[in-house]
Amino acid sequence: VKRRPTSYFRASGAMMLAPCVPLGRYGLVSSVAVVRGTTATLKSKPSACVFTGGHSRLVGGRCSSRSAQITGRPLGLQPLHRAHKSPALVPKAKSEQSEPVGHQTGKSTGDASGPLSPEQMQHLREFQKGAARLSFAEESRTLVAQGSWGTLSTNSQELEGFPAGSFASYAADTNGCPIMSFSTLSSHTTDLLADGRCSLTVFSKNFSGAADARVSISGTMIKIEDEEEAKASREIYLQKHPDAFWVDFGDFSWWRMEKVELARLVGGFGRAGTVSAADYEAAEPDFVAGFAPMIIGHMNEDHADSIAACVAHFAFNSAANPPNFDSAQMVSVDRLGMTVKVSLEGQPMKLRLPFSKPAQSRKDVKDLIVEMTKTATAASA
């Protein structure tokens, strides 16, 4: 890879810096970064470029393949503030900004000149601080259970001492440990045969940027040699990936992360933590996750006004003059409540609306949402 004098690289496809984490429009500092159709500054020169398939080409720092991997020393990815500015990494103008950039929260989170008054912001902070949420362990287990693809980071055997990243499919077993099928042709298979220590980064299904949830689990990947265990692993995997006919090819073998030693969760802005092996193993995925998409779709399509009423009533009930929102969409729901993305005078924010009590069944979830919407609608009448 030829480094330009200005240290700029432009990716026209997806240029992944291993171990790669696809953050949509955003870049992530340290040794993990992804650029999608953007221009970025690299703090250190990549040491190697590895193409994993497809019609890949990298000329003068331009990558036209979604499967190209670049490995190197720990890298930093920064927005450009001089030549070659990219709209994907540089904040938009006030009139067109639709999402916070990086870990900025936008003026809607506390700027007195913004859509919310200081009194409303104070009430909102207090309300959000006390809102019930899943534990870090529960959220981590739920993300892993619901996911099917992730970024697998291994210790490279081609470039000793450096990490390597691969985009790989998986299915979680009942202990929250990923089961995977690898070909002997894959570089990550060679890496794992020499050193099974690895990590898998999984993203929420609606992931689009830094405000959305992701979790990285670390452990040791082992090759499954027992025939019965391999058969059971195949059944689990095919439930998640029914069209994966290639797993029966002769050069594929079954692997499992023997134990999750550590989980690192980022649940969005201001929500991040580490989960121990014991806590991860003891937790259970949230039961609502299995049917949450149907609830979310129904509420957003048929009851958007009710969602906005719930936000205005519950999040600002004690504040003077509750604001009217331009739009409100449910983005997630679990046994303890729902998370809503609202737009207030063009400014986006995510708010947590807890249920009055934990849901114990699917019917409970429906009844609790109906209860909230009825209360909010009556209060606004």
Side-chain angles (χ1 to χ4, degrees), residues 275-294:
V275 180
S276 68
D279 288 345
Y280 183 87
E281 185 176 2
E284 293 286 344
D286 182 67
F287 78 92
V288 179
F291 52 88
M294 290 175 280

Side-chain angles (χ1 to χ4, degrees), residues 27 47 57 78 80 82 90 92 100 108 134 159 169 179 195 204 263 266 312 319 327 360:
S47 302
R57 106 186 129 81
Q78 300 175 335
L80 301 181
R82 46 195 180 103
V90 179
K92 297 180 181 179
S108 63
L134 297 178
L159 198 61
S169 58
I179 293 171
D195 186 346
S204 62
V266 179
S327 64
Q360 302 294 329

Side-chain angles (χ1 to χ4, degrees), residues 100-273:
V101 177
H103 280 277
Q104 299 173 2
T105 55
K107 72 177 185 178
S108 63
T109 60
D111 191 331
S113 63
L116 302 179
S117 68
E119 293 78 12
Q120 290 170 331
M121 284 306 308
Q122 180 62 29
H123 176 82
L124 179 61
R125 290 192 189 99
E126 293 175 357
F127 178 78
Q128 290 299 285
K129 185 177 180 180
R133 304 173 187 269
L134 297 178
S135 69
F136 287 161
E138 287 178 302
E139 188 168 353
S140 297
R141 285 293 302 269
T142 302
L143 285 170
V144 173
Q146 290 298 303
S148 55
W149 293 85
T151 302
L152 178 68
S153 300
T154 56
N155 291 302
S156 176
Q157 297 303 299
E158 293 181 295
L159 198 61
E160 186 178 355
F162 289 83
S166 304
F167 194 52
S169 58
Y170 78 95
D173 66 13
T174 55
N175 294 318
C177 296
I179 293 171
M180 312 181 88
S181 182
F182 297 142
S183 167
T184 55
L185 299 177
S186 301
S187 59
H188 50 258
T189 306
T190 302
D191 295 343
L192 292 171
L193 285 170
D195 186 346
R197 292 175 299 174
C198 64
S199 68
L200 179 69
T201 303
V202 179
F203 305 86
S204 62
K205 290 188 174 182
N206 61 348
F207 190 93
S208 63
D212 300 315
R214 61 272 193 192
V215 63
S216 179
I217 56 175
S218 300
T220 300
M221 194 74 70
I222 61 168
K223 185 177 180 180
I224 299 174
E225 303 288 357
D226 181 78
E227 189 173 325
E228 289 301 316
E229 187 178 354
K231 182 178 179 181
S233 297
R234 179 182 181 277
E235 292 178 359
I236 293 173
Y237 185 90
L238 289 178
Q239 288 177 6
K240 183 75 73 170
H241 305 277
D243 297 326
F245 58 88
W246 58 84
V247 300
D248 293 325
F249 290 176
D251 65 321
F252 277 76
S253 55
W254 292 102
W255 294 71
R256 185 187 75 252
M257 187 176 286
E258 189 173 24
K259 179 182 179 182
V260 174
E261 300 290 349
L262 188 74
R264 299 178 65 183
L265 172 75
V266 179
F269 294 122
R271 179 170 169 80

Side-chain angles (χ1 to χ4, degrees), residues 277-328:
D279 288 345
Y280 183 87
E281 185 176 2
E284 293 286 344
D286 182 67
F287 78 92
V288 179
F291 52 88
M294 290 175 280
I295 296 175
I296 294 169
H298 170 67
M299 292 298 296
N300 289 337
E301 291 175 11
D302 300 331
H303 303 289
D305 291 344
S306 296
I307 296 173
C310 286
V311 173
H313 175 68
F314 291 103
F316 298 95
N317 189 38
S318 299
N321 302 317
N324 293 317
F325 296 98
D326 303 327
S327 64

